[in-house]
Amino acid sequence: MGKNELIKMVEDTVAVKDFPKFKAGDTITVTYKIKEGSKERLQKFQGVVLQRVGGGPTATFTIRKISGNVGVERIFPISSPFLEEIVVNKVGVVRRARIFYFRNLRGKKARIKEKRM
Amino acid sequence: MTSVYDENGKNIPCTVIQAGPCIVTQVRTKETDGYEAIQLAFEEKKEKHTTKALQGHFKKAKTTPKRFVAEFTRFEEKKNYGDVLTVDVFVEGEYIDVVGTSKGKGFQGVVKRYNFKGVNDATHGQHNRMRAPGSIGASSYPSRVFKGMRMAGRMGGNRVKLINLQVVKIIPEKDVIIVKGAVPGPNNSYVKIERWS
């Protein structure tokens, strides 16, 4: 069954910015706006894409980085108005669409083969 | 369901509802019926799928047969046969109640149906009792199971009313409203929208 036409109509009004293509295993840098009181500033988050979920403007993606010795994950909605820019740093070679096994890997094991352009 | 963003960039989960146009097909009055209400009808239906009795009913309001009919009380202004109601009756930001029929879940055990805990221990003698209800009463007194004892059975498919759902957005050209949160029932089902004010 296709998506309800009414839902489609509403989702068409939600703007999704043009971002480069990326998939699980890629290393990307996300620049997003942060509100601190009345001030707005930009912050960057660089990490490995674990998964992309959903389609259309409700889609999200999860990226993971190691900060200090702690793994940090962030989920971004693709249509979030706070998203400023996405830069693909590395294109990884992975065999699955969701690389949750990556969470259990540390140190030298936590490397993803890079696809050379 | 889908989601939209508000002016602060906050993601709001929401449901899209086709809320009109509705046509007044009957006006109930104190004199003839003993109470005040109006009957609204929604969505076209083929005449060959309509019984003769209902065809006459819709003809009285000078309209074509409709699929869904519901009665509403507490209307402030007077309505007449054949009046058309659109989403203009709603205001953005106001709170409404939505009545619908919940999704049928079939025959379910007590853990899913009444949120019983089940047995939290896989060992100590449990092997097929993990989701069992446990005792349903005492022995010689009362020698029976009390009425209303919560047990396994058919779940879902009930009339459910969700109160205080916010109207996030109104699209007047299409007679569509967007409501914050979920509403009872599957996709493409019918709901009744009420409002206290």
Side-chain angles (χ1 to χ4, degrees):
Chain A
M1 205 180 87
K3 218 174 210 178
N4 188 303
E5 269 175 40
L6 290 179
I7 295 180
K8 230 185 260 164
M9 185 190 84
V10 173
E11 285 184 349
D12 283 347
T13 63
V14 180
V16 183
K17 283 179 193 152
D18 254 349
F19 294 123
K21 253 190 179 174
F22 62 92
K23 54 163 186 52
D26 296 354
T27 306
I28 61 171
T29 310
V30 179
T31 314
Y32 56 98
K33 278 183 250 174
I34 271 200
K35 264 197 188 137
E36 281 170 341
S38 59
K39 267 196 206 157
E40 242 184 21
R41 64 183 183 86
L42 294 176
Q43 196 170 61
K44 280 182 179 170
F45 192 104
Q46 187 180 44
V48 177
V49 181
L50 287 193
Q51 62 171 350
R52 297 196 62 157
V53 185
T58 55
T60 62
F61 60 94
T62 309
I63 51 179
R64 174 184 170 88
K65 71 169 177 184
I66 304 289
S67 180
N69 209 9
V70 187
V72 180
E73 279 177 26
R74 246 198 107 128
I75 301 169
F76 291 99
I78 201 89
S79 58
S80 168
F82 294 109
L83 279 189
E84 210 46 27
E85 196 189 11
I86 294 177
V87 179
V88 181
N89 308 112
K90 273 188 220 166
V91 180
V93 181
V94 289
R95 291 189 176 190
R96 37 214 86 236
R98 301 181 176 183
I99 51 164
F100 296 139
Y101 69 85
F102 193 69
R103 287 176 179 153
N104 302 326
L105 304 181
R106 285 288 141 94
K108 266 191 171 179
K109 281 237 169 91
R111 282 179 301 182
I112 289 174
K113 210 167 142 195
E114 194 181 337
K115 194 172 165 189
R116 291 274 167 209
M117 293 302 184
Chain B
M1 284 188 75
T2 181
S3 65
V4 293
Y5 292 90
D6 67 4
E7 62 278 9
N8 297 324
K10 209 176 165 192
N11 198 338
I12 305 166
C14 59
T15 309
V16 186
I17 301 175
Q18 176 88 52
C22 293
I23 289 169
V24 178
T25 47
Q26 197 169 23
V27 181
R28 300 213 183 263
T29 55
K30 260 247 151 72
E31 296 85 65
T32 52
D33 307 288
Y35 64 101
E36 303 250 336
I38 64 164
Q39 187 191 64
L40 295 182
F42 173 69
E43 202 164 78
E44 291 300 322
K45 187 170 144 189
K46 276 189 181 157
E47 199 166 298
K48 67 172 179 184
H49 294 149
T50 317
T51 61
K52 284 265 168 62
L54 274 175
Q55 280 179 24
H57 180 72
F58 288 117
K59 213 167 256 174
K60 220 174 163 186
K62 295 192 182 63
T63 170
T64 48
K66 298 281 184 289
R67 201 167 289 278
F68 192 73
V69 169
E71 237 175 56
F72 292 83
T73 51
R74 304 195 302 266
F75 259 89
E76 291 122 43
E77 63 249 65
K78 261 222 147 5
K79 296 282 175 202
N80 293 316
Y81 280 71
D83 282 2
V84 179
L85 267 78
T86 59
V87 289
D88 298 341
V89 295
F90 299 108
V91 188
E92 257 173 47
E94 73 169 343
Y95 290 87
I96 55 170
D97 302 344
V98 177
V99 185
T101 308
S102 63
K103 279 186 188 174
K105 301 278 193 286
F107 193 100
Q108 294 296 336
V110 288
V111 173
K112 191 182 181 77
R113 196 177 180 205
Y114 292 115
N115 296 327
F116 280 24
K117 264 259 177 80
V119 180
N120 284 335
D121 217 331
T123 59
H124 295 293
Q126 318 300 338
H127 90 101
N128 58 1
R129 313 282 311 146
M130 300 281 288
R131 294 171 72 90
S135 166
I136 55 169
S139 182
S140 58
Y141 180 80
S143 285
R144 64 189 175 91
V145 176
F146 288 127
K147 270 191 177 172
M149 179 62 58
R150 293 172 299 166
M151 292 169 123
R154 283 275 183 94
M155 183 185 172
N158 303 322
R159 184 186 192 269
V160 176
K161 183 184 206 171
L162 283 181
I163 60 170
N164 288 339
L165 298 179
Q166 195 176 18
V167 178
V168 179
K169 209 175 153 194
I170 297 170
I171 306 171
E173 321 67 269
K174 297 257 180 171
D175 270 331
V176 161
I177 61 171
I178 301 175
V179 167
K180 187 176 176 181
V183 301
N187 289 343
N188 303 318
S189 60
Y190 295 96
V191 292
K192 205 175 150 182
I193 302 174
E194 295 174 351
R195 172 178 59 180
W196 291 94
S197 66

